[in-house]
Amino acid sequence: IKKVIHPLKDILIQNEVAVVTADKICESVSDKLLNVEYKRMSSPKSLILEALRSSLLEILQPEETIDLLSLVEEYKKKKQPLVIAFFGINGVGKTLSIAKLGYYLKKNDISSVFAASDTFRAGSIQQLEQHAKKVGVKIISQTYGSDAAAVAFDAVSHASAKGIDVVLIDTAGRMETNKNLMAELQKLDRVVEPDLKIFVGDALTGNSLVSQAELFNSKIGIDASIINKMDADVKGGATISVVHATRKPILFIGVGQKYNDLKPFIPEQIIKNVLP
Amino acid sequence: TLGSKLHKAISNFISGGVADKEAIKQLKNEMLRALLESDVDFEIANKVVSEVEKKSLEKELPDGLSRKKSVISIIHDELVAILGKKHYPITINHDKPTIIMLIGIQGSGKTTTTAKIAKYIKKRGKKVAVVTADNWRPGAYEQLQQLCSQIDVPVYGDPENKRTVKIAQTGIKKFLNEKYNYIILDTAGRHKEEKDLLNEMNDLYSKIKPDEVILVIDGNLGQTAYKQAKAFAEKTPVGSIIVTKLDGSAKGGGALSAAAAAKVPIKFIGNGETIDDLEEFNPTSFVGRLLG
Ligand SMILES: Nc1nc2c(ncn2[C@@H]2O[C@H](COP(=O)(O)OP(=O)(O)OP(=O)(O)O)[C@@H](O)[C@H]2O)c(=O)[nH]1
Ligand SMILES: Nc1nc2c(ncn2[C@@H]2O[C@H](COP(=O)(O)OP(=O)(O)OP(=O)(O)O)[C@@H](O)[C@H]2O)c(=O)[nH]1
Ligand SMILES: [Mg+2]
Ligand SMILES: [Mg+2]
């Protein structure tokens, strides 16, 4: 079995799956092959591919799913805003994802407010302000250097007072290995207690994606992920690495820079890329 | 850890000797794994491993601990060979103005790096100015203005103008008239599937004729790095690479692959978000970090 599994690992890695994730998938495939009944009609190759397909499907369809629109309805009934925080390393598309989500919610007659909790990076507040203006939603912001948690808290109070359905909190990019910045995010989590904590990742990322997912998950907690830049000619292995590491669903994938470039994640599309 | 598994495999190989096929196989597997975990391109990693096998098995190696050192130095040398051994400086003309242009994938760190280079060059006595041809990303102009205000470097931008070549030409002309002699041009992010944006990038290049085009590569880039870099280099003559975000957990193998694809040197690394976080590239320490 070992001989047969090795080329599978190479296939996964070439399809952008992280090395440690590929290891674990191969383990699960070998387990399946050990337990399979060898029917006379199926070739060894088709048995292996079937074992791989089912392992990938198991990973990519985690037990928990999130239906955002029904979750919003649930919170509307409770007369509470649904508070969503977005975090991840630098440049992965957090801010644009918030704009896309605000646009998506608006199309579904759901109101939202943006919270400019990236109070650090140059131009971050103006960037989110311009997105808010284009989408047609309100933005709560303070000055650069102000407390990120305070801005988020402000936005939640505003949403509660005005009956706004959803709060979308933008945070500064941060390396998952930066202790101070992770502590700052933990503080925002404690102060605001978001209902949904969204990890945002970049589909072009290699092995560091596992470290990102694991550390953000252990220090903050991840309810779902958004993986962006899936339009950049990727095989999509990054989605496998992230869902495997978090066991949480992919809420959306980003497939471009326009507001409607936010699509549901379809496991079959990734599996089709990986399975030779 | 990554480094210790590879070192263990090397120790086993040394104690087993050249004749031990199993130890050689183990060593090759551990080497390949180390390179792939550092995001080195699959094909390049396999090539490096077979080169190391050839060289470490056929060379007249001294025994014992020094042989272990020579296997490590062979792996090291194969990687440094891809990156180049000497320090390649950024273009700085002394008899006429210099114009450099930054290109790269969305979010790779171009705008931040533009400001970092501005500070680096200003420290070397040039009169530096920055132009942004990014009329697309909301807040791009403000981002660069805020970064460059820290170092008192002027920024020209015109987000309302639909024509990026016009913006670049106007900004550069303005600064040349004001006797600035080093101008850095920031551009919008793009990837290899966005054919219109690749054309726009090439259009900018041919109209502006910069002295150097720098491809900014995110240090986190994985197995897609090689083909992305190749596409950029085929479209526009890339002169060098700057790798960013090496202050995280990424080992930078994607950047090494990009350098191999574009056949250009890496000149700087970015290891932080502030305007001071730019370091001249050192192949030895880069490879050391990559191998763990
Ligand atoms: N092609 C493409 N570009 C994207 C996608 N998502 C985001 N981008 C681009 O990626 C770049 C970075 O996006 P931002 O939203 O600023 O990323 P961020 O995570 O907020 O960045 P920081 O706040 O600096 O950490 C921008 O140029 C976006 O337009 C996507 O799905 N496809
Ligand atoms: N930690 C770290 N962050 C960096 C580094 N370089 C850039 N960044 C951050 O990465 C994010 C993206 O940087 P930008 O300069 O906006 O990237 P860009 O390539 O101009 O993005 P687009 O214009 O949207 O294509 C920002 O949050 C930067 O602060 C680095 O070396 N280390
Ligand atoms: Mg942002
Ligand atoms: Mg930029």
Side-chain angles (χ1 to χ4, degrees):
Chain A
I1 283 189
K2 237 182 174 185
K3 266 196 144 208
V4 135
I5 291 298
H6 194 84
L8 279 194
K9 190 150 140 211
D10 287 350
I11 289 172
L12 290 169
I13 290 171
Q14 288 179 293
N15 276 284
E16 304 152 14
V17 177
V19 176
V20 296
T21 313
D23 280 342
K24 303 217 180 87
I25 293 174
C26 288
E27 274 174 40
S28 116
V29 171
S30 348
D31 287 346
K32 284 197 196 300
L33 290 177
L34 286 172
N35 297 326
V36 89
E37 285 180 22
Y38 289 89
K39 305 186 190 70
R40 298 181 109 262
M41 295 312 290
S42 43
S43 72
K45 179 168 186 215
S46 68
L47 280 173
I48 296 162
L49 292 185
E50 191 42 43
L52 179 57
R53 159 180 285 279
S54 76
S55 294
L56 290 178
L57 215 55
E58 278 169 16
I59 293 168
L60 290 178
Q61 293 177 330
E63 304 189 351
E64 316 186 26
T65 59
I66 294 180
D67 179 343
L68 190 61
L69 297 183
S70 19
L71 192 60
V72 173
E73 288 311 310
E74 196 184 309
Y75 274 73
K76 271 171 102 136
K77 292 203 185 83
K78 295 199 273 184
K79 301 224 191 291
Q80 247 184 269
L82 176 66
V83 181
I84 310 179
F86 298 76
F87 46 82
I89 71 163
N90 307 71
V92 296
K94 298 177 291 300
T95 304
L96 182 61
S97 298
I98 286 171
K100 289 175 180 176
L101 215 37
Y103 175 81
Y104 169 76
L105 293 171
K106 193 163 192 230
K107 272 207 298 176
N108 284 282
D109 293 317
I110 295 168
S111 60
S112 66
V113 58
F114 293 172
S117 285
D118 178 354
T119 56
F120 167 73
R121 204 210 68 208
S124 61
I125 298 177
Q126 281 77 23
Q127 180 186 11
L128 195 60
E129 280 177 343
Q130 291 177 25
H131 277 307
K133 187 150 179 261
K134 285 210 243 145
V135 172
V137 298
K138 181 153 174 68
I139 176 171
I140 298 293
S141 64
Q142 294 177 18
T143 58
Y144 286 100
S146 56
D147 185 65
V151 176
F153 189 85
D154 224 7
V156 175
S157 312
H158 175 87
S160 304
K162 304 287 181 182
I164 296 177
D165 303 320
V166 182
V167 181
L168 300 171
I169 303 170
D170 193 13
T171 66
R174 70 202 67 224
M175 291 303 171
E176 78 280 13
T177 48
N178 185 316
K179 294 202 162 45
N180 291 338
L181 292 184
M182 292 304 280
E184 179 205 57
L185 192 60
Q186 286 174 317
K187 174 176 165 205
L188 189 148
D189 183 28
R190 276 197 309 275
V191 165
V192 175
E193 293 183 308
D195 303 300
L196 270 189
K197 296 189 269 197
I198 309 292
F199 168 74
V200 183
D202 182 331
L204 299 148
T205 305
N207 286 273
S208 70
L209 194 56
V210 174
S211 157
Q212 292 170 33
E214 288 180 344
L215 281 174
F216 276 104
N217 203 12
S218 65
K219 292 188 182 286
I220 308 296
I222 295 173
D223 296 309
S225 301
I226 288 178
I227 302 299
N228 289 316
K229 309 179 199 172
M230 292 284 284
D231 50 311
D233 185 21
V234 296
K235 300 282 173 54
T239 60
I240 299 173
S241 310
V242 170
V243 182
H244 186 270
T246 59
R247 298 192 199 286
K248 289 294 159 70
I250 291 181
L251 194 61
F252 289 106
I253 55 171
V255 294
Q257 302 189 91
K258 300 205 257 17
Y259 291 153
N260 56 10
D261 287 327
L262 194 67
K263 295 280 179 273
F265 172 63
I266 302 184
E268 265 311 324
Q269 291 176 348
I270 306 300
I271 294 178
K272 199 163 92 239
N273 286 339
V274 176
L275 250 42
Chain B
T1 72
L2 192 114
S4 66
K5 273 216 229 131
L6 180 57
H7 280 262
K8 187 155 176 288
I10 293 173
S11 304
N12 290 343
F13 166 68
I14 303 302
S15 53
V18 183
D20 187 343
K21 288 208 169 270
E22 191 48 43
I24 294 170
K25 189 154 164 288
Q26 262 298 85
L27 176 61
K28 284 178 71 180
N29 283 337
E30 283 309 325
M31 266 197 275
L32 184 60
R33 185 191 178 80
L35 295 174
L36 293 176
E37 278 192 300
S38 297
D39 297 325
V40 176
D41 178 76
F42 187 80
E43 307 255 347
I44 293 177
N46 276 289
K47 266 204 218 99
V48 167
V49 170
S50 54
E51 277 305 301
V52 171
E53 177 184 29
K54 255 204 345 251
K55 294 196 169 107
S56 61
L57 296 187
E58 56 185 42
K59 255 175 105 175
E60 265 315 308
L61 296 179
D63 275 309
L65 201 58
S66 48
R67 178 191 273 245
K68 173 176 185 166
K69 271 191 137 221
S70 63
V71 173
I72 295 177
S73 66
I74 291 170
I75 300 173
H76 192 272
D77 292 347
E78 283 304 310
L79 294 172
V80 170
I82 296 175
L83 297 167
K85 292 198 210 80
K86 64 182 194 130
H87 167 62
Y88 295 84
I90 192 171
T91 305
I92 301 181
N93 294 328
H94 293 296
D95 52 345
K96 59 178 171 130
T98 308
I99 300 175
I100 67 167
M101 172 175 162
L102 271 67
I103 61 177
I105 295 174
Q106 288 90 346
S108 57
K110 298 175 293 297
T111 302
T112 309
T113 303
T114 296
K116 290 178 181 179
I117 296 175
K119 180 165 189 177
Y120 176 89
I121 298 292
K122 189 170 185 189
K123 276 207 231 148
R124 276 150 183 76
K126 291 291 174 188
K127 199 161 174 242
V128 188
V130 168
V131 176
T132 174
D134 183 352
N135 61 357
W136 159 260
R137 171 171 154 154
Y141 182 32
E142 290 84 342
Q143 181 183 8
L144 210 37
Q145 281 178 315
Q146 289 170 24
L147 285 169
C148 292
S149 70
Q150 300 172 21
I151 46 172
D152 199 18
V153 163
V155 178
Y156 179 85
D158 187 4
E160 301 300 309
N161 190 332
K162 296 274 173 247
R163 297 162 59 210
T164 57
V165 171
K166 210 77 193 82
I167 301 172
Q169 286 172 333
T170 306
I172 290 170
K173 185 155 180 267
K174 162 176 161 39
F175 287 131
L176 289 179
N177 284 340
E178 295 171 7
K179 303 295 180 240
Y180 286 89
N181 54 21
Y182 203 105
I183 301 172
I184 307 167
L185 179 63
D186 185 20
T187 67
R190 69 204 76 218
H191 58 67
K192 73 187 220 359
E193 298 309 298
E194 296 163 325
K195 303 302 178 195
D196 291 343
L197 295 185
L198 290 185
N199 288 334
E200 185 248 357
M201 169 180 77
N202 199 32
D203 197 27
L204 265 174
Y205 173 78
S206 58
K207 300 268 167 41
I208 300 301
K209 301 189 186 41
D211 297 290
E212 182 165 347
V213 175
I214 304 180
L215 176 61
V216 178
I217 294 282
D218 184 332
N220 289 285
L221 223 51
Q223 290 295 320
T224 61
Y226 190 93
K227 62 183 177 183
Q228 288 284 349
K230 185 156 181 281
F232 274 92
E234 281 174 356
K235 195 74 189 178
T236 294
V238 174
S240 64
I241 284 174
I242 293 182
V243 195
T244 61
K245 308 182 201 173
L246 285 184
D247 50 307
S249 49
K251 297 285 175 66
L256 181 146
S257 310
K263 303 196 182 63
V264 298
I266 297 176
K267 292 192 175 175
F268 292 96
I269 68 165
N271 46 19
E273 276 194 273
T274 79
I275 208 161
D276 294 306
D277 293 319
L278 188 73
E279 223 178 83
E280 288 176 356
F281 183 70
N282 177 333
T284 306
S285 52
F286 182 83
V287 169
R289 175 210 159 93
L290 192 147
L291 291 174

